[in-house]
Amino acid sequence: MLNMRNRKRTTERGKTPAHIMLRAAREVKLNNKSIRGAGTDYDIPERTLRRFLQKVTDEELYGTNELPTTAVGYIKNRQVFSDDQEKQLEEYILKAADVYFGLSPKQIRTFAYEWAVSLKIKFPDSWNTNKCAGQDWFTYFIKRHAGLSIRTPEATSLARASGFNKHSET
């Protein structure tokens, strides 16, 4: 079994909703309130509000729109493939299983590495060293795609495989 890491969130930092961040930013810019004071009023860390003020555009700040397009909080910085690419990888694994070519976890990790290299995506250095994706990547990939059930495939006998073939119905 893989060594799984389960991180428990200990604070709610980085979870401030975008509309509250915008309201606090407007207090600072329009009402000349201090960043520290607005952060205290809206329960936002000072550094977070300062960083948001550097990113937010004037149209967002002075417009009537309630939701800014500026990203707030933490981003997924450790995911190697985009959501679309992971969906394609999931479809490939399912298609391989449908044609009786089940992939083992090690084969999936090796394929993920080779695919990342061909797409010229940035990935951890350990992938280059091992020539395959890491166990942690695989664990979280399986968690994100619960429809996959990956285990070491068993060989399908030739008689059973040919029984599914349309030409053998004679």
Side-chain angles (χ1 to χ4, degrees):
M1 182 158 170
L2 295 175
N3 182 11
M4 294 172 95
R5 299 179 192 170
N6 291 321
R7 181 181 167 274
K8 302 287 185 214
R9 180 179 273 280
T10 56
T11 67
E12 291 300 312
R13 287 176 44 191
K15 300 274 256 176
T16 308
H19 68 281
I20 293 177
M21 290 290 287
L22 187 60
R23 205 175 309 152
R26 285 179 178 159
E27 286 267 336
V28 171
K29 289 290 188 173
L30 300 176
N31 299 341
N32 292 329
K33 192 165 196 170
S34 70
I35 295 175
R36 186 174 300 190
T40 305
D41 290 349
Y42 288 95
D43 197 27
I44 302 170
E46 174 196 356
R47 185 67 194 134
T48 303
L49 185 55
R50 191 175 300 276
R51 192 176 297 118
F52 181 77
L53 283 166
Q54 289 174 345
K55 289 182 182 180
V56 72
T57 63
D58 285 341
E59 293 108 28
E60 292 173 325
L61 199 57
Y62 299 116
T64 58
N65 198 1
E66 265 304 304
L67 292 176
T69 56
T70 303
V72 212
Y74 296 111
I75 56 172
K76 295 190 284 186
N77 61 344
R78 300 199 56 158
Q79 190 169 329
V80 176
F81 298 106
S82 69
D83 292 336
D84 291 336
Q85 291 166 338
E86 281 203 355
K87 185 72 176 158
Q88 289 175 356
L89 182 58
E90 179 186 24
E91 288 170 1
Y92 175 80
I93 293 167
L94 290 172
K95 189 180 291 188
D98 284 346
V99 295
Y100 304 107
F101 188 74
L103 299 171
S104 70
K106 179 72 174 171
Q107 289 172 320
I108 292 173
R109 290 171 47 210
T110 304
F111 178 74
Y113 163 74
E114 292 170 355
W115 196 37
V117 168
S118 69
L119 292 174
K120 297 181 178 128
I121 294 176
K122 184 179 175 188
F123 51 83
D125 294 332
S126 62
W127 287 27
N128 265 332
T129 308
N130 302 327
K131 300 293 185 215
C132 71
Q135 288 184 347
D136 286 343
W137 173 85
F138 180 73
T139 300
Y140 291 116
F141 174 75
I142 295 300
K143 277 186 175 181
R144 286 190 296 269
H145 302 279
L148 292 176
S149 175
I150 306 298
R151 51 197 180 277
T152 306
E154 295 179 9
T156 305
S157 69
L158 183 60
R160 182 157 190 243
S162 63
F164 290 106
N165 193 347
K166 288 183 179 182
H167 300 291
S168 66
E169 292 179 3
T170 57

CSV table of all heavy atoms in Angstrom, one decimal, residues 58-103:
chain,number,residue,atom,x,y,z
A,58,ASP,N,-8.0,48.7,-11.5
A,58,ASP,CA,-8.9,49.8,-11.2
A,58,ASP,C,-10.3,49.6,-11.6
A,58,ASP,O,-11.2,50.0,-10.9
A,58,ASP,CB,-8.3,51.1,-11.9
A,58,ASP,CG,-7.1,51.6,-11.3
A,58,ASP,OD1,-6.8,51.3,-10.1
A,58,ASP,OD2,-6.4,52.4,-11.9
A,59,GLU,N,-10.5,48.9,-12.7
A,59,GLU,CA,-11.9,48.6,-13.1
A,59,GLU,C,-12.6,47.7,-12.1
A,59,GLU,O,-13.8,47.9,-11.8
A,59,GLU,CB,-11.9,47.8,-14.5
A,59,GLU,CG,-11.5,48.7,-15.6
A,59,GLU,CD,-10.1,48.2,-16.1
A,59,GLU,OE1,-9.8,47.0,-16.0
A,59,GLU,OE2,-9.4,49.0,-16.7
A,60,GLU,N,-11.9,46.8,-11.5
A,60,GLU,CA,-12.5,45.9,-10.5
A,60,GLU,C,-12.8,46.7,-9.2
A,60,GLU,O,-13.8,46.6,-8.6
A,60,GLU,CB,-11.6,44.7,-10.1
A,60,GLU,CG,-11.5,43.7,-11.3
A,60,GLU,CD,-10.5,42.7,-11.0
A,60,GLU,OE1,-9.5,43.0,-10.3
A,60,GLU,OE2,-10.7,41.5,-11.4
A,61,LEU,N,-11.9,47.6,-8.9
A,61,LEU,CA,-11.9,48.3,-7.6
A,61,LEU,C,-13.0,49.4,-7.7
A,61,LEU,O,-13.8,49.6,-6.7
A,61,LEU,CB,-10.6,48.9,-7.3
A,61,LEU,CG,-10.3,49.4,-5.9
A,61,LEU,CD1,-10.4,48.2,-5.0
A,61,LEU,CD2,-8.9,49.9,-5.8
A,62,TYR,N,-13.1,50.1,-8.8
A,62,TYR,CA,-14.0,51.3,-8.8
A,62,TYR,C,-15.3,50.9,-9.5
A,62,TYR,O,-16.2,51.7,-9.6
A,62,TYR,CB,-13.3,52.5,-9.5
A,62,TYR,CG,-12.1,52.9,-8.8
A,62,TYR,CD1,-10.8,52.9,-9.3
A,62,TYR,CD2,-12.2,53.4,-7.5
A,62,TYR,CE1,-9.7,53.3,-8.6
A,62,TYR,CE2,-11.1,53.8,-6.8
A,62,TYR,CZ,-9.8,53.8,-7.4
A,62,TYR,OH,-8.7,54.2,-6.7
A,63,GLY,N,-15.4,49.7,-10.1
A,63,GLY,CA,-16.6,49.3,-10.8
A,63,GLY,C,-17.7,48.9,-9.8
A,63,GLY,O,-17.5,48.9,-8.6
A,64,THR,N,-18.8,48.6,-10.4
A,64,THR,CA,-20.0,48.2,-9.6
A,64,THR,C,-20.1,46.7,-9.4
A,64,THR,O,-20.9,46.2,-8.6
A,64,THR,CB,-21.3,48.7,-10.2
A,64,THR,OG1,-21.4,48.1,-11.5
A,64,THR,CG2,-21.3,50.2,-10.3
A,65,ASN,N,-19.2,46.0,-10.0
A,65,ASN,CA,-19.2,44.5,-10.0
A,65,ASN,C,-18.8,44.1,-8.6
A,65,ASN,O,-17.9,44.6,-8.0
A,65,ASN,CB,-18.3,43.9,-11.0
A,65,ASN,CG,-18.6,42.5,-11.3
A,65,ASN,OD1,-19.5,41.9,-10.7
A,65,ASN,ND2,-17.8,41.9,-12.1
A,66,GLU,N,-19.5,43.1,-8.0
A,66,GLU,CA,-19.2,42.6,-6.6
A,66,GLU,C,-18.1,41.6,-6.6
A,66,GLU,O,-17.4,41.4,-5.6
A,66,GLU,CB,-20.5,42.0,-6.0
A,66,GLU,CG,-21.3,43.0,-5.1
A,66,GLU,CD,-20.4,43.6,-4.0
A,66,GLU,OE1,-19.8,42.9,-3.2
A,66,GLU,OE2,-20.4,44.8,-4.0
A,67,LEU,N,-17.9,40.8,-7.7
A,67,LEU,CA,-16.9,39.7,-7.7
A,67,LEU,C,-15.7,40.1,-8.6
A,67,LEU,O,-15.9,40.3,-9.8
A,67,LEU,CB,-17.5,38.4,-8.2
A,67,LEU,CG,-18.6,37.8,-7.2
A,67,LEU,CD1,-19.2,36.6,-7.9
A,67,LEU,CD2,-17.9,37.5,-5.9
A,68,PRO,N,-14.5,40.2,-8.0
A,68,PRO,CA,-13.4,40.5,-8.8
A,68,PRO,C,-12.9,39.3,-9.6
A,68,PRO,O,-13.2,38.1,-9.2
A,68,PRO,CB,-12.3,40.9,-7.8
A,68,PRO,CG,-12.7,40.2,-6.6
A,68,PRO,CD,-14.2,40.1,-6.6
A,69,THR,N,-12.2,39.5,-10.7
A,69,THR,CA,-11.6,38.4,-11.5
A,69,THR,C,-10.2,38.1,-11.0
A,69,THR,O,-9.7,37.1,-11.4
A,69,THR,CB,-11.6,38.8,-13.0
A,69,THR,OG1,-10.8,40.0,-13.1
A,69,THR,CG2,-12.9,38.9,-13.5
A,70,THR,N,-9.7,38.9,-10.1
A,70,THR,CA,-8.4,38.7,-9.5
A,70,THR,C,-8.5,37.5,-8.6
A,70,THR,O,-9.4,37.4,-7.8
A,70,THR,CB,-7.9,39.9,-8.7
A,70,THR,OG1,-7.9,41.0,-9.6
A,70,THR,CG2,-6.5,39.7,-8.1
A,71,ALA,N,-7.5,36.5,-8.7
A,71,ALA,CA,-7.6,35.3,-7.9
A,71,ALA,C,-7.3,35.7,-6.5
A,71,ALA,O,-6.4,36.5,-6.2
A,71,ALA,CB,-6.5,34.3,-8.4
A,72,VAL,N,-8.0,35.0,-5.6
A,72,VAL,CA,-7.8,35.2,-4.1
A,72,VAL,C,-7.4,33.9,-3.5
A,72,VAL,O,-7.9,32.8,-3.9
A,72,VAL,CB,-9.1,35.7,-3.4
A,72,VAL,CG1,-8.7,36.6,-2.3
A,72,VAL,CG2,-10.0,36.4,-4.4
A,73,GLY,N,-6.6,33.9,-2.5
A,73,GLY,CA,-6.3,32.7,-1.8
A,73,GLY,C,-5.2,31.8,-2.4
A,73,GLY,O,-4.5,32.3,-3.3
A,74,TYR,N,-5.1,30.6,-2.0
A,74,TYR,CA,-4.1,29.7,-2.5
A,74,TYR,C,-4.5,29.1,-3.8
A,74,TYR,O,-5.7,28.8,-4.1
A,74,TYR,CB,-3.8,28.6,-1.5
A,74,TYR,CG,-3.2,29.2,-0.2
A,74,TYR,CD1,-3.9,29.2,0.9
A,74,TYR,CD2,-1.9,29.8,-0.2
A,74,TYR,CE1,-3.4,29.7,2.1
A,74,TYR,CE2,-1.4,30.3,1.0
A,74,TYR,CZ,-2.2,30.2,2.2
A,74,TYR,OH,-1.7,30.7,3.3
A,75,ILE,N,-3.5,28.8,-4.7
A,75,ILE,CA,-3.8,28.1,-5.9
A,75,ILE,C,-3.2,26.7,-5.9
A,75,ILE,O,-2.3,26.5,-5.1
A,75,ILE,CB,-3.2,28.9,-7.1
A,75,ILE,CG1,-1.7,29.1,-7.0
A,75,ILE,CG2,-3.9,30.2,-7.3
A,75,ILE,CD1,-1.0,29.7,-8.2
A,76,LYS,N,-3.6,25.9,-6.8
A,76,LYS,CA,-3.1,24.5,-6.8
A,76,LYS,C,-1.7,24.6,-7.6
A,76,LYS,O,-1.7,24.7,-8.8
A,76,LYS,CB,-4.0,23.6,-7.6
A,76,LYS,CG,-5.3,23.4,-7.0
A,76,LYS,CD,-6.1,22.3,-7.6
A,76,LYS,CE,-6.7,22.7,-8.9
A,76,LYS,NZ,-7.6,21.8,-9.6
A,77,ASN,N,-0.7,24.6,-6.8
A,77,ASN,CA,0.6,24.8,-7.5
A,77,ASN,C,1.4,23.5,-7.6
A,77,ASN,O,2.4,23.5,-8.2
A,77,ASN,CB,1.5,25.8,-6.7
A,77,ASN,CG,1.8,25.3,-5.3
A,77,ASN,OD1,1.1,24.4,-4.8
A,77,ASN,ND2,2.8,25.9,-4.6
A,78,ARG,N,0.8,22.4,-7.1
A,78,ARG,CA,1.6,21.2,-7.2
A,78,ARG,C,1.0,20.2,-8.2
A,78,ARG,O,1.5,19.1,-8.3
A,78,ARG,CB,1.6,20.5,-5.8
A,78,ARG,CG,2.3,21.5,-4.8
A,78,ARG,CD,2.7,20.8,-3.6
A,78,ARG,NE,3.6,19.7,-4.0
A,78,ARG,CZ,4.5,19.2,-3.2
A,78,ARG,NH1,4.6,19.7,-2.0
A,78,ARG,NH2,5.2,18.2,-3.5
A,79,GLN,N,-0.1,20.6,-8.8
A,79,GLN,CA,-0.7,19.7,-9.8
A,79,GLN,C,0.0,19.8,-11.1
A,79,GLN,O,0.1,20.9,-11.7
A,79,GLN,CB,-2.2,20.0,-10.0
A,79,GLN,CG,-2.9,19.0,-10.8
A,79,GLN,CD,-4.4,19.2,-10.7
A,79,GLN,OE1,-4.9,19.7,-9.7
A,79,GLN,NE2,-5.1,18.9,-11.8
A,80,VAL,N,0.6,18.8,-11.6
A,80,VAL,CA,1.4,18.8,-12.8
A,80,VAL,C,0.6,19.0,-14.1
A,80,VAL,O,0.9,19.9,-14.8
A,80,VAL,CB,2.2,17.5,-12.9
A,80,VAL,CG1,3.0,17.5,-14.2
A,80,VAL,CG2,3.2,17.3,-11.7
A,81,PHE,N,-0.4,18.2,-14.2
A,81,PHE,CA,-1.3,18.4,-15.4
A,81,PHE,C,-2.5,19.3,-15.2
A,81,PHE,O,-3.0,19.3,-14.0
A,81,PHE,CB,-1.8,17.0,-15.9
A,81,PHE,CG,-0.7,16.0,-16.2
A,81,PHE,CD1,-0.3,15.0,-15.4
A,81,PHE,CD2,0.0,16.2,-17.4
A,81,PHE,CE1,0.7,14.1,-15.7
A,81,PHE,CE2,1.0,15.3,-17.8
A,81,PHE,CZ,1.3,14.2,-16.9
A,82,SER,N,-3.0,19.9,-16.2
A,82,SER,CA,-4.2,20.7,-16.0
A,82,SER,C,-5.4,19.7,-15.9
A,82,SER,O,-5.3,18.5,-16.1
A,82,SER,CB,-4.4,21.6,-17.3
A,82,SER,OG,-4.7,20.8,-18.4
A,83,ASP,N,-6.5,20.3,-15.5
A,83,ASP,CA,-7.7,19.4,-15.3
A,83,ASP,C,-8.1,18.7,-16.7
A,83,ASP,O,-8.5,17.5,-16.6
A,83,ASP,CB,-8.9,20.2,-14.8
A,83,ASP,CG,-8.7,20.7,-13.4
A,83,ASP,OD1,-7.9,20.1,-12.7
A,83,ASP,OD2,-9.3,21.8,-13.1
A,84,ASP,N,-8.0,19.4,-17.8
A,84,ASP,CA,-8.3,18.8,-19.1
A,84,ASP,C,-7.3,17.6,-19.4
A,84,ASP,O,-7.7,16.6,-19.9
A,84,ASP,CB,-8.3,19.8,-20.2
A,84,ASP,CG,-9.4,20.8,-20.1
A,84,ASP,OD1,-10.4,20.5,-19.5
A,84,ASP,OD2,-9.2,21.9,-20.6
A,85,GLN,N,-6.0,17.9,-19.1
A,85,GLN,CA,-5.0,16.8,-19.4
A,85,GLN,C,-5.2,15.6,-18.5
A,85,GLN,O,-5.1,14.5,-19.0
A,85,GLN,CB,-3.6,17.4,-19.2
A,85,GLN,CG,-3.3,18.4,-20.3
A,85,GLN,CD,-2.0,19.2,-19.9
A,85,GLN,OE1,-1.7,19.4,-18.7
A,85,GLN,NE2,-1.4,19.8,-20.9
A,86,GLU,N,-5.6,15.9,-17.2
A,86,GLU,CA,-5.9,14.7,-16.3
A,86,GLU,C,-7.1,14.0,-16.8
A,86,GLU,O,-7.2,12.7,-16.7
A,86,GLU,CB,-6.1,15.2,-14.9
A,86,GLU,CG,-4.7,15.5,-14.2
A,86,GLU,CD,-4.8,15.4,-12.7
A,86,GLU,OE1,-5.9,15.2,-12.2
A,86,GLU,OE2,-3.8,15.5,-12.1
A,87,LYS,N,-8.1,14.7,-17.3
A,87,LYS,CA,-9.3,14.0,-17.9
A,87,LYS,C,-8.9,13.1,-19.1
A,87,LYS,O,-9.4,12.0,-19.2
A,87,LYS,CB,-10.3,15.1,-18.3
A,87,LYS,CG,-11.6,14.5,-18.7
A,87,LYS,CD,-12.4,13.9,-17.6
A,87,LYS,CE,-13.8,13.4,-18.1
A,87,LYS,NZ,-14.3,12.5,-17.2
A,88,GLN,N,-8.0,13.6,-19.9
A,88,GLN,CA,-7.5,12.8,-21.1
A,88,GLN,C,-6.8,11.6,-20.6
A,88,GLN,O,-7.0,10.5,-21.2
A,88,GLN,CB,-6.6,13.7,-22.0
A,88,GLN,CG,-7.4,14.7,-22.8
A,88,GLN,CD,-6.4,15.6,-23.5
A,88,GLN,OE1,-5.2,15.5,-23.4
A,88,GLN,NE2,-7.0,16.5,-24.3
A,89,LEU,N,-6.0,11.7,-19.6
A,89,LEU,CA,-5.2,10.6,-19.0
A,89,LEU,C,-6.2,9.6,-18.4
A,89,LEU,O,-6.0,8.4,-18.6
A,89,LEU,CB,-4.2,11.1,-17.9
A,89,LEU,CG,-3.3,10.1,-17.3
A,89,LEU,CD1,-2.5,9.3,-18.3
A,89,LEU,CD2,-2.4,10.7,-16.3
A,90,GLU,N,-7.2,10.0,-17.7
A,90,GLU,CA,-8.2,9.1,-17.2
A,90,GLU,C,-8.9,8.4,-18.3
A,90,GLU,O,-9.1,7.2,-18.2
A,90,GLU,CB,-9.2,9.9,-16.3
A,90,GLU,CG,-10.3,9.1,-15.7
A,90,GLU,CD,-11.4,9.9,-15.0
A,90,GLU,OE1,-11.6,11.1,-15.4
A,90,GLU,OE2,-12.1,9.3,-14.2
A,91,GLU,N,-9.3,9.1,-19.3
A,91,GLU,CA,-10.0,8.4,-20.5
A,91,GLU,C,-9.1,7.4,-21.1
A,91,GLU,O,-9.5,6.3,-21.5
A,91,GLU,CB,-10.4,9.5,-21.5
A,91,GLU,CG,-11.6,10.3,-21.0
A,91,GLU,CD,-11.9,11.5,-21.9
A,91,GLU,OE1,-11.2,11.7,-23.0
A,91,GLU,OE2,-12.8,12.3,-21.6
A,92,TYR,N,-7.8,7.7,-21.2
A,92,TYR,CA,-6.8,6.7,-21.8
A,92,TYR,C,-6.7,5.5,-21.0
A,92,TYR,O,-6.7,4.4,-21.5
A,92,TYR,CB,-5.4,7.4,-22.0
A,92,TYR,CG,-4.4,6.4,-22.4
A,92,TYR,CD1,-4.3,6.1,-23.8
A,92,TYR,CD2,-3.5,5.8,-21.5
A,92,TYR,CE1,-3.3,5.2,-24.2
A,92,TYR,CE2,-2.5,4.9,-22.0
A,92,TYR,CZ,-2.4,4.6,-23.3
A,92,TYR,OH,-1.5,3.7,-23.8
A,93,ILE,N,-6.7,5.6,-19.7
A,93,ILE,CA,-6.6,4.5,-18.8
A,93,ILE,C,-7.8,3.6,-18.9
A,93,ILE,O,-7.8,2.4,-18.9
A,93,ILE,CB,-6.3,5.0,-17.3
A,93,ILE,CG1,-4.9,5.6,-17.2
A,93,ILE,CG2,-6.4,3.8,-16.3
A,93,ILE,CD1,-4.7,6.4,-15.9
A,94,LEU,N,-9.0,4.3,-18.9
A,94,LEU,CA,-10.2,3.5,-19.0
A,94,LEU,C,-10.3,2.8,-20.4
A,94,LEU,O,-10.8,1.7,-20.4
A,94,LEU,CB,-11.4,4.5,-18.8
A,94,LEU,CG,-11.6,5.0,-17.4
A,94,LEU,CD1,-12.7,6.1,-17.4
A,94,LEU,CD2,-12.0,3.9,-16.5
A,95,LYS,N,-9.9,3.5,-21.4
A,95,LYS,CA,-9.9,2.9,-22.8
A,95,LYS,C,-9.0,1.7,-22.8
A,95,LYS,O,-9.3,0.6,-23.4
A,95,LYS,CB,-9.6,3.9,-23.9
A,95,LYS,CG,-9.8,3.4,-25.3
A,95,LYS,CD,-9.4,4.4,-26.3
A,95,LYS,CE,-10.3,5.5,-26.3
A,95,LYS,NZ,-10.1,6.5,-27.4
A,96,ALA,N,-7.8,1.8,-22.2
A,96,ALA,CA,-6.9,0.7,-22.2
A,96,ALA,C,-7.5,-0.5,-21.4
A,96,ALA,O,-7.3,-1.7,-21.8
A,96,ALA,CB,-5.6,1.1,-21.5
A,97,ALA,N,-8.2,-0.2,-20.3
A,97,ALA,CA,-8.9,-1.3,-19.6
A,97,ALA,C,-10.0,-2.0,-20.4
A,97,ALA,O,-10.2,-3.2,-20.3
A,97,ALA,CB,-9.4,-0.8,-18.3
A,98,ASP,N,-10.7,-1.2,-21.2
A,98,ASP,CA,-11.8,-1.7,-22.0
A,98,ASP,C,-11.3,-2.7,-23.1
A,98,ASP,O,-12.0,-3.6,-23.5
A,98,ASP,CB,-12.6,-0.6,-22.7
A,98,ASP,CG,-13.5,0.2,-21.7
A,98,ASP,OD1,-13.7,-0.4,-20.6
A,98,ASP,OD2,-13.9,1.3,-22.1
A,99,VAL,N,-10.1,-2.5,-23.6
A,99,VAL,CA,-9.5,-3.4,-24.6
A,99,VAL,C,-8.6,-4.5,-23.9
A,99,VAL,O,-7.7,-5.0,-24.6
A,99,VAL,CB,-8.8,-2.7,-25.7
A,99,VAL,CG1,-9.8,-1.8,-26.5
A,99,VAL,CG2,-7.7,-1.9,-25.2
A,100,TYR,N,-8.9,-4.8,-22.6
A,100,TYR,CA,-8.2,-5.8,-21.9
A,100,TYR,C,-6.7,-5.6,-21.8
A,100,TYR,O,-5.9,-6.5,-21.8
A,100,TYR,CB,-8.5,-7.2,-22.5
A,100,TYR,CG,-9.9,-7.5,-22.6
A,100,TYR,CD1,-10.6,-7.5,-23.8
A,100,TYR,CD2,-10.7,-7.7,-21.4
A,100,TYR,CE1,-11.9,-7.7,-23.9
A,100,TYR,CE2,-12.0,-8.0,-21.5
A,100,TYR,CZ,-12.6,-8.0,-22.7
A,100,TYR,OH,-14.0,-8.2,-22.8
A,101,PHE,N,-6.3,-4.3,-21.7
A,101,PHE,CA,-4.9,-4.0,-21.5
A,101,PHE,C,-4.8,-3.1,-20.3
A,101,PHE,O,-4.6,-1.9,-20.3
A,101,PHE,CB,-4.3,-3.3,-22.7
A,101,PHE,CG,-2.8,-3.1,-22.6
A,101,PHE,CD1,-2.0,-4.1,-22.8
A,101,PHE,CD2,-2.3,-1.8,-22.4
A,101,PHE,CE1,-0.6,-4.0,-22.8
A,101,PHE,CE2,-0.9,-1.7,-22.3
A,101,PHE,CZ,-0.1,-2.7,-22.5
A,102,GLY,N,-5.1,-3.7,-19.1
A,102,GLY,CA,-5.1,-2.9,-17.9
A,102,GLY,C,-3.7,-2.5,-17.6
A,102,GLY,O,-2.7,-3.2,-17.8
A,103,LEU,N,-3.6,-1.3,-17.0
A,103,LEU,CA,-2.2,-0.7,-16.7
A,103,LEU,C,-2.0,-0.8,-15.2
A,103,LEU,O,-2.9,-0.5,-14.4
A,103,LEU,CB,-2.2,0.7,-17.1
A,103,LEU,CG,-2.3,1.0,-18.6
A,103,LEU,CD1,-2.4,2.5,-18.9
A,103,LEU,CD2,-1.1,0.4,-19.4
